[in-house]
Short mmCIF file of all heavy atoms in Angstrom, two decimals:
data_model
loop_
_atom_site.label_atom_id
_atom_site.label_comp_id
_atom_site.label_asym_id
_atom_site.label_seq_id
_atom_site.Cartn_x
_atom_site.Cartn_y
_atom_site.Cartn_z
N ARG N 121 30.66 29.57 47.48
CA ARG N 121 29.90 28.54 48.20
C ARG N 121 30.77 27.85 49.24
O ARG N 121 32.00 27.91 49.19
CB ARG N 121 29.36 27.52 47.18
CG ARG N 121 28.13 28.08 46.44
CD ARG N 121 27.83 27.34 45.16
NE ARG N 121 27.68 25.91 45.38
CZ ARG N 121 27.78 25.01 44.42
NH1 ARG N 121 28.03 25.37 43.19
NH2 ARG N 121 27.62 23.73 44.69
N ASP N 122 30.11 27.16 50.16
CA ASP N 122 30.80 26.46 51.24
C ASP N 122 31.75 25.39 50.66
O ASP N 122 31.35 24.55 49.84
CB ASP N 122 29.77 25.78 52.16
CG ASP N 122 30.43 24.97 53.25
OD1 ASP N 122 30.96 25.58 54.19
OD2 ASP N 122 30.42 23.72 53.15
N LYS N 123 33.02 25.46 51.12
CA LYS N 123 34.07 24.61 50.56
C LYS N 123 33.73 23.12 50.66
O LYS N 123 33.82 22.38 49.68
CB LYS N 123 35.38 24.91 51.31
CG LYS N 123 36.61 24.64 50.49
CD LYS N 123 37.84 25.19 51.22
CE LYS N 123 39.08 25.02 50.37
NZ LYS N 123 40.28 25.61 50.98
N GLN N 124 33.33 22.69 51.86
CA GLN N 124 33.07 21.27 52.07
C GLN N 124 31.90 20.78 51.22
O GLN N 124 31.94 19.69 50.62
CB GLN N 124 32.81 20.98 53.55
CG GLN N 124 32.90 19.49 53.92
CD GLN N 124 34.21 18.83 53.44
OE1 GLN N 124 35.30 19.30 53.73
NE2 GLN N 124 34.10 17.75 52.66
N GLU N 125 30.89 21.61 51.14
CA GLU N 125 29.70 21.28 50.34
C GLU N 125 30.09 21.11 48.86
O GLU N 125 29.66 20.17 48.18
CB GLU N 125 28.69 22.43 50.49
CG GLU N 125 27.37 22.21 49.78
CD GLU N 125 26.53 23.50 49.79
OE1 GLU N 125 26.20 23.99 50.90
OE2 GLU N 125 26.23 24.01 48.71
N VAL N 126 30.95 22.01 48.37
CA VAL N 126 31.40 21.95 46.97
C VAL N 126 32.23 20.69 46.73
O VAL N 126 32.06 20.01 45.71
CB VAL N 126 32.21 23.23 46.60
CG1 VAL N 126 32.86 23.08 45.22
CG2 VAL N 126 31.30 24.46 46.60
N TYR N 127 33.12 20.37 47.69
CA TYR N 127 33.95 19.16 47.54
C TYR N 127 33.08 17.91 47.53
O TYR N 127 33.30 17.00 46.72
CB TYR N 127 34.98 19.08 48.67
CG TYR N 127 36.24 19.85 48.36
CD1 TYR N 127 36.47 21.11 48.91
CD2 TYR N 127 37.21 19.33 47.50
CE1 TYR N 127 37.62 21.84 48.59
CE2 TYR N 127 38.37 20.04 47.19
CZ TYR N 127 38.56 21.29 47.74
OH TYR N 127 39.68 22.00 47.41
N ASP N 128 32.08 17.85 48.42
CA ASP N 128 31.18 16.69 48.46
C ASP N 128 30.44 16.53 47.13
O ASP N 128 30.32 15.43 46.59
CB ASP N 128 30.16 16.84 49.60
CG ASP N 128 30.82 16.72 50.98
OD1 ASP N 128 31.99 16.27 51.04
OD2 ASP N 128 30.19 17.10 51.98
N GLU N 129 29.97 17.67 46.62
CA GLU N 129 29.22 17.67 45.36
C GLU N 129 30.14 17.25 44.19
O GLU N 129 29.73 16.48 43.31
CB GLU N 129 28.68 19.08 45.11
CG GLU N 129 27.44 19.10 44.23
CD GLU N 129 26.86 20.50 44.14
OE1 GLU N 129 26.22 20.95 45.10
OE2 GLU N 129 27.09 21.14 43.10
N ALA N 130 31.37 17.75 44.21
CA ALA N 130 32.33 17.44 43.13
C ALA N 130 32.61 15.93 43.10
O ALA N 130 32.72 15.33 42.02
CB ALA N 130 33.62 18.22 43.34
N ARG N 131 32.74 15.33 44.29
CA ARG N 131 33.02 13.88 44.33
C ARG N 131 31.83 13.08 43.79
O ARG N 131 32.00 12.06 43.13
CB ARG N 131 33.38 13.46 45.76
CG ARG N 131 34.76 13.98 46.17
CD ARG N 131 35.27 13.42 47.47
NE ARG N 131 36.64 13.87 47.69
CZ ARG N 131 37.01 14.82 48.55
NH1 ARG N 131 36.08 15.44 49.29
NH2 ARG N 131 38.28 15.17 48.66
N LYS N 132 30.61 13.58 44.05
CA LYS N 132 29.41 12.91 43.50
C LYS N 132 29.40 13.03 41.98
O LYS N 132 29.03 12.09 41.27
CB LYS N 132 28.14 13.55 44.09
CG LYS N 132 27.79 13.03 45.47
CD LYS N 132 26.51 13.66 45.98
CE LYS N 132 26.37 13.42 47.47
NZ LYS N 132 25.51 14.42 48.11
N LEU N 133 29.80 14.21 41.47
CA LEU N 133 29.85 14.43 40.03
C LEU N 133 30.90 13.53 39.38
O LEU N 133 30.68 12.98 38.30
CB LEU N 133 30.13 15.90 39.70
CG LEU N 133 28.98 16.87 39.95
CD1 LEU N 133 29.46 18.31 39.86
CD2 LEU N 133 27.84 16.64 38.96
N LEU N 134 32.05 13.37 40.06
CA LEU N 134 33.09 12.49 39.53
C LEU N 134 32.60 11.04 39.46
O LEU N 134 32.90 10.31 38.52
CB LEU N 134 34.36 12.58 40.39
CG LEU N 134 35.26 13.79 40.11
CD1 LEU N 134 36.38 13.87 41.13
CD2 LEU N 134 35.84 13.73 38.69
N GLU N 135 31.81 10.67 40.46
CA GLU N 135 31.21 9.33 40.46
C GLU N 135 30.26 9.19 39.27
O GLU N 135 30.26 8.19 38.55
CB GLU N 135 30.44 9.14 41.77
CG GLU N 135 30.16 7.69 42.10
CD GLU N 135 29.44 7.56 43.44
OE1 GLU N 135 29.80 8.28 44.40
OE2 GLU N 135 28.51 6.77 43.50
N LYS N 136 29.48 10.24 39.05
CA LYS N 136 28.49 10.26 37.96
C LYS N 136 29.15 10.08 36.58
O LYS N 136 28.60 9.42 35.70
CB LYS N 136 27.76 11.61 38.01
CG LYS N 136 26.47 11.69 37.24
CD LYS N 136 25.84 13.06 37.49
CE LYS N 136 24.41 13.13 37.04
NZ LYS N 136 23.77 14.39 37.44
N VAL N 137 30.34 10.68 36.42
CA VAL N 137 31.02 10.57 35.11
C VAL N 137 32.07 9.46 35.10
O VAL N 137 32.87 9.34 34.18
CB VAL N 137 31.66 11.93 34.68
CG1 VAL N 137 30.59 12.99 34.51
CG2 VAL N 137 32.74 12.40 35.65
N GLY N 138 32.06 8.63 36.16
CA GLY N 138 32.92 7.44 36.19
C GLY N 138 34.39 7.71 36.44
O GLY N 138 35.26 6.99 35.96
N LEU N 139 34.69 8.76 37.25
CA LEU N 139 36.10 9.11 37.50
C LEU N 139 36.41 9.29 38.99
O LEU N 139 37.27 10.11 39.36
CB LEU N 139 36.47 10.40 36.74
CG LEU N 139 36.50 10.31 35.21
CD1 LEU N 139 36.73 11.69 34.62
CD2 LEU N 139 37.59 9.36 34.73
N SER N 140 35.73 8.54 39.84
CA SER N 140 35.93 8.68 41.29
C SER N 140 37.38 8.52 41.72
O SER N 140 37.83 9.13 42.68
CB SER N 140 35.10 7.63 42.04
OG SER N 140 33.74 7.93 41.88
N ASP N 141 38.12 7.70 40.97
CA ASP N 141 39.50 7.40 41.38
C ASP N 141 40.52 8.40 40.83
O ASP N 141 41.73 8.23 41.00
CB ASP N 141 39.88 5.99 40.92
CG ASP N 141 39.73 5.82 39.40
OD1 ASP N 141 38.95 6.58 38.79
OD2 ASP N 141 40.40 4.94 38.83
N LYS N 142 40.04 9.47 40.18
CA LYS N 142 40.96 10.40 39.50
C LYS N 142 41.01 11.79 40.12
O LYS N 142 41.58 12.70 39.52
CB LYS N 142 40.57 10.54 38.01
CG LYS N 142 40.63 9.25 37.21
CD LYS N 142 42.05 8.76 37.02
CE LYS N 142 42.10 7.53 36.13
NZ LYS N 142 43.43 6.94 36.08
N GLU N 143 40.45 11.96 41.32
CA GLU N 143 40.35 13.33 41.85
C GLU N 143 41.70 14.01 42.07
O GLU N 143 41.81 15.23 41.97
CB GLU N 143 39.51 13.38 43.13
CG GLU N 143 40.09 12.66 44.34
CD GLU N 143 39.27 12.94 45.60
OE1 GLU N 143 38.10 12.49 45.70
OE2 GLU N 143 39.81 13.61 46.49
N ASN N 144 42.74 13.23 42.34
CA ASN N 144 44.07 13.84 42.58
C ASN N 144 44.98 13.82 41.35
O ASN N 144 46.13 14.23 41.41
CB ASN N 144 44.77 13.13 43.75
CG ASN N 144 44.00 13.35 45.05
OD1 ASN N 144 43.60 14.47 45.34
ND2 ASN N 144 43.77 12.28 45.80
N ALA N 145 44.44 13.34 40.23
CA ALA N 145 45.24 13.31 38.99
C ALA N 145 45.26 14.69 38.35
O ALA N 145 44.41 15.55 38.64
CB ALA N 145 44.63 12.30 38.02
N TYR N 146 46.26 14.91 37.50
CA TYR N 146 46.35 16.16 36.72
C TYR N 146 45.89 15.86 35.29
O TYR N 146 45.98 14.71 34.83
CB TYR N 146 47.79 16.69 36.73
CG TYR N 146 48.17 17.29 38.06
CD1 TYR N 146 48.69 16.49 39.09
CD2 TYR N 146 47.98 18.65 38.30
CE1 TYR N 146 49.01 17.04 40.32
CE2 TYR N 146 48.30 19.21 39.54
CZ TYR N 146 48.82 18.40 40.55
OH TYR N 146 49.11 18.95 41.77
N PRO N 147 45.39 16.88 34.58
CA PRO N 147 44.89 16.64 33.22
C PRO N 147 45.84 15.87 32.31
O PRO N 147 45.41 15.01 31.54
CB PRO N 147 44.65 18.07 32.69
CG PRO N 147 44.27 18.83 33.92
CD PRO N 147 45.13 18.27 35.01
N CYS N 148 47.15 16.13 32.43
CA CYS N 148 48.12 15.45 31.55
C CYS N 148 48.18 13.94 31.80
O CYS N 148 48.69 13.18 30.98
CB CYS N 148 49.52 16.06 31.70
SG CYS N 148 50.21 15.82 33.34
N GLU N 149 47.66 13.51 32.95
CA GLU N 149 47.67 12.07 33.28
C GLU N 149 46.39 11.37 32.81
O GLU N 149 46.21 10.18 33.03
CB GLU N 149 47.82 11.90 34.80
CG GLU N 149 49.11 12.49 35.34
CD GLU N 149 49.15 12.54 36.87
OE1 GLU N 149 48.16 12.96 37.50
OE2 GLU N 149 50.19 12.16 37.41
N LEU N 150 45.51 12.13 32.19
CA LEU N 150 44.22 11.57 31.77
C LEU N 150 44.14 11.43 30.25
O LEU N 150 44.78 12.18 29.52
CB LEU N 150 43.07 12.50 32.22
CG LEU N 150 42.96 12.83 33.71
CD1 LEU N 150 41.81 13.81 33.93
CD2 LEU N 150 42.76 11.58 34.55
N SER N 151 43.31 10.51 29.79
CA SER N 151 43.04 10.39 28.35
C SER N 151 42.13 11.55 27.93
O SER N 151 41.53 12.23 28.78
CB SER N 151 42.33 9.06 28.05
OG SER N 151 41.01 9.10 28.59
N GLY N 152 41.97 11.74 26.62
CA GLY N 152 41.08 12.79 26.12
C GLY N 152 39.66 12.61 26.61
O GLY N 152 39.01 13.58 27.03
N GLY N 153 39.19 11.37 26.60
CA GLY N 153 37.82 11.10 27.06
C GLY N 153 37.64 11.42 28.53
O GLY N 153 36.61 11.96 28.95
N GLN N 154 38.66 11.09 29.34
CA GLN N 154 38.58 11.39 30.78
C GLN N 154 38.60 12.90 31.01
O GLN N 154 37.86 13.42 31.85
CB GLN N 154 39.75 10.72 31.50
CG GLN N 154 39.60 9.20 31.59
CD GLN N 154 40.87 8.53 32.11
OE1 GLN N 154 41.99 9.02 31.91
NE2 GLN N 154 40.71 7.39 32.76
N GLN N 155 39.44 13.61 30.24
CA GLN N 155 39.48 15.07 30.37
C GLN N 155 38.12 15.69 30.02
O GLN N 155 37.67 16.61 30.70
CB GLN N 155 40.56 15.66 29.46
CG GLN N 155 41.98 15.38 29.95
CD GLN N 155 43.00 16.12 29.11
OE1 GLN N 155 42.98 17.34 29.01
NE2 GLN N 155 43.92 15.38 28.50
N GLN N 156 37.48 15.14 28.98
CA GLN N 156 36.18 15.68 28.60
C GLN N 156 35.14 15.42 29.68
O GLN N 156 34.27 16.25 29.94
CB GLN N 156 35.74 15.10 27.25
CG GLN N 156 34.53 15.79 26.63
CD GLN N 156 34.75 17.27 26.37
OE1 GLN N 156 34.87 18.06 27.31
NE2 GLN N 156 34.80 17.67 25.11
N ARG N 157 35.24 14.26 30.35
CA ARG N 157 34.30 13.97 31.43
C ARG N 157 34.51 14.90 32.62
O ARG N 157 33.57 15.31 33.28
CB ARG N 157 34.42 12.51 31.85
CG ARG N 157 33.70 11.59 30.87
CD ARG N 157 33.59 10.20 31.40
NE ARG N 157 34.51 9.29 30.72
CZ ARG N 157 34.77 8.08 31.13
NH1 ARG N 157 34.23 7.61 32.23
NH2 ARG N 157 35.59 7.32 30.45
N VAL N 158 35.78 15.23 32.88
CA VAL N 158 36.08 16.22 33.94
C VAL N 158 35.48 17.58 33.56
O VAL N 158 34.89 18.28 34.39
CB VAL N 158 37.61 16.36 34.17
CG1 VAL N 158 37.90 17.50 35.16
CG2 VAL N 158 38.19 15.05 34.69
N ALA N 159 35.61 17.93 32.28
CA ALA N 159 35.06 19.21 31.80
C ALA N 159 33.53 19.26 31.99
O ALA N 159 32.97 20.30 32.37
CB ALA N 159 35.42 19.43 30.33
N ILE N 160 32.86 18.13 31.76
CA ILE N 160 31.41 18.07 31.96
C ILE N 160 31.08 18.23 33.45
O ILE N 160 30.19 18.99 33.83
CB ILE N 160 30.83 16.75 31.40
CG1 ILE N 160 30.96 16.74 29.87
CG2 ILE N 160 29.36 16.57 31.81
CD1 ILE N 160 30.64 15.40 29.21
N ALA N 161 31.85 17.51 34.30
CA ALA N 161 31.63 17.63 35.75
C ALA N 161 31.88 19.06 36.22
O ALA N 161 31.13 19.60 37.06
CB ALA N 161 32.56 16.66 36.50
N ARG N 162 32.91 19.70 35.67
CA ARG N 162 33.22 21.09 36.05
C ARG N 162 32.06 22.02 35.69
O ARG N 162 31.69 22.90 36.48
CB ARG N 162 34.50 21.54 35.35
CG ARG N 162 34.89 22.98 35.67
CD ARG N 162 36.17 23.41 35.00
NE ARG N 162 36.07 23.38 33.55
CZ ARG N 162 37.06 23.75 32.74
NH1 ARG N 162 38.21 24.15 33.23
NH2 ARG N 162 36.90 23.70 31.44
N ALA N 163 31.50 21.84 34.50
CA ALA N 163 30.37 22.68 34.09
C ALA N 163 29.16 22.46 35.00
O ALA N 163 28.48 23.40 35.41
CB ALA N 163 30.01 22.39 32.63
N LEU N 164 28.91 21.19 35.36
CA LEU N 164 27.77 20.87 36.22
C LEU N 164 27.94 21.39 37.65
O LEU N 164 26.96 21.68 38.34
CB LEU N 164 27.56 19.35 36.26
CG LEU N 164 27.01 18.71 34.98
CD1 LEU N 164 27.15 17.19 35.06
CD2 LEU N 164 25.55 19.09 34.77
#
Side-chain angles (χ1 to χ4, degrees):
R121 282 161 55 199
D122 177 73
K123 207 170 184 176
Q124 196 52 53
E125 183 189 300
V126 171
Y127 274 101
D128 291 347
E129 205 174 284
R131 289 189 174 104
K132 278 182 195 156
L133 287 169
L134 280 173
E135 199 178 319
K136 196 176 194 173
V137 298
L139 292 174
S140 292
D141 57 337
K142 299 291 184 188
E143 66 172 67
N144 295 314
Y146 286 87
C148 65
E149 299 170 314
L150 304 177
S151 69
Q154 288 171 331
Q155 288 187 58
Q156 191 59 293
R157 282 191 254 169
V158 174
I160 293 170
R162 179 178 62 178
L164 288 167

